[in-house]
Amino acid sequence: MAKLAFIGTGVMGAPMAGHLVTAGHEVTVYNRTRAKAKAWAAQYGGAVAATPAEAAGGAGAVFACVGNDDDLAAVTLGDDGAFAAMADGALFVDHTTVSATIARRLAAETRLLVLDAPVSGGQAGAENGKLSIMCGGSAEAFAAAEPLMQAYAARIVHVGDAGAGQQTKMCNQIAIAGVVQGVAEALRFAQKSGLDTGKVLEAISGGAAQSWQMVNRWESMADERFDFGFAVDWMRKDLGLALDEARANGAVLPVAALVDQFYAEVQAMGGARQDTSSLARRLPK
């Protein structure tokens, strides 16, 4: 058993923190919206703190899963931030998808073990404990974090130094963007052709066209159901991080940039909180 803190009890953080409790750890949570933290505690039996620093006090490891760079800075830095209360040598694991810049900034706090560890797998992956986690940081930080993260992960990979986890998550989102667009176009083509979309899925999902997006989102896209978790707003945030990083490192991302604009159209159509498969909405049936 370890004494842990978890900052951020949203759709991802809440079940992840819950898995830590189920694994036998003592967990204190903090959330900006206190009602969410209290709801988590009522479900899992952990404790609620009034500030990130209060949550982190005495914890051997602190986890975070918040919204963006500014949110992460707010819960880690300053008098009420977690870092102010963490003992030398304590572990900080950030599961937020943020810029590589802030990941490296936090890792510069050398008295702590800091790991940037964004996740993939969505709400279902978090709830089922089957997330994929891509990690950046020192070997020492990774070794300390890995056995704890196994409570909610199916795959954990140490990619490289600080920031590498965030850059790998950017690769993940770049790849997803193109795949979702391809699946949306194939679906609309099948519909325009008057084909049985179920039969089309059966025919093509076993070959080279197969993808997670096709298998899990083709039928719901055909039914115009777009309420499966990861929202367009968040995808645009993530693609924005990737495009910013590409401008810095010289990578060329024409498809990601184009799909980002397609998602902007979906936002304008009122789909900001719909899941990423709502990309199909902008294509005529």
Side-chain angles (χ1 to χ4, degrees), residues 129-153:
K130 299 296 183 182
L131 292 168
S132 292
I133 308 179
M134 47 220 84
C135 304
S138 69
E140 186 180 4
F142 180 75
E146 184 179 21
L148 296 170
M149 296 188 296
Q150 286 174 345
Y152 44 80

Side-chain angles (χ1 to χ4, degrees), residues 63-282:
F63 299 79
C65 190
V66 290
N68 54 35
D69 284 32
D70 290 342
D71 295 330
L72 181 59
V75 299
T76 54
L77 307 175
D79 293 341
D80 288 332
F83 281 13
M86 294 176 69
D88 290 357
L91 172 68
F92 178 76
V93 179
D94 177 35
H95 289 308
T96 317
T97 297
V98 290
S99 70
T101 299
I102 194 169
R104 297 187 188 106
R105 177 185 175 191
L106 296 184
E109 179 57 80
T110 54
R111 67 181 188 84
L112 303 175
L113 298 176
V114 178
L115 197 72
D116 55 285
V119 302
S120 180
Q123 183 176 348
E127 292 172 349
N128 295 325
K130 299 296 183 182
L131 292 168
S132 292
I133 308 179
M134 47 220 84
C135 304
S138 69
E140 186 180 4
F142 180 75
E146 184 179 21
L148 296 170
M149 296 188 296
Q150 286 174 345
Y152 44 80
R155 177 176 299 185
I156 306 171
V157 180
H158 185 204
V159 182
D161 294 334
Q166 296 299 342
Q167 290 172 315
T168 303
K169 179 60 182 287
M170 294 171 199
C171 293
N172 188 79
Q173 303 305 72
I174 291 165
I176 287 174
V179 171
V180 177
Q181 177 64 18
V183 171
E185 291 183 12
L187 172 66
R188 289 296 191 244
F189 181 89
Q191 291 172 328
K192 286 285 190 179
S193 300
L195 298 173
D196 181 326
T197 56
K199 291 295 185 181
V200 174
L201 176 64
E202 181 182 358
I204 70 174
S205 62
Q210 189 273 338
S211 68
W212 187 97
Q213 298 293 336
M214 176 179 288
V215 171
N216 290 277
R217 294 292 177 263
W218 176 279
E219 293 181 349
S220 55
M221 290 165 75
D223 293 338
E224 300 294 311
R225 293 185 287 115
F226 306 115
D227 55 351
F228 294 93
F230 194 71
V232 168
D233 277 349
W234 293 115
M235 186 60 160
R236 289 214 69 206
K237 187 236 354 177
D238 290 0
L239 289 175
L241 292 171
L243 294 167
D244 286 345
E245 189 76 7
R247 281 187 280 271
N249 69 20
V252 180
L253 305 178
V255 174
L258 182 61
V259 175
D260 178 58
Q261 291 307 301
F262 291 164
Y263 277 124
E265 293 180 26
V266 176
Q267 286 176 318
M269 296 168 68
R273 303 307 300 170
Q274 292 182 321
D275 73 75
T276 52
S277 69
S278 61
L279 202 57
R281 290 185 60 195
R282 55 171 299 280

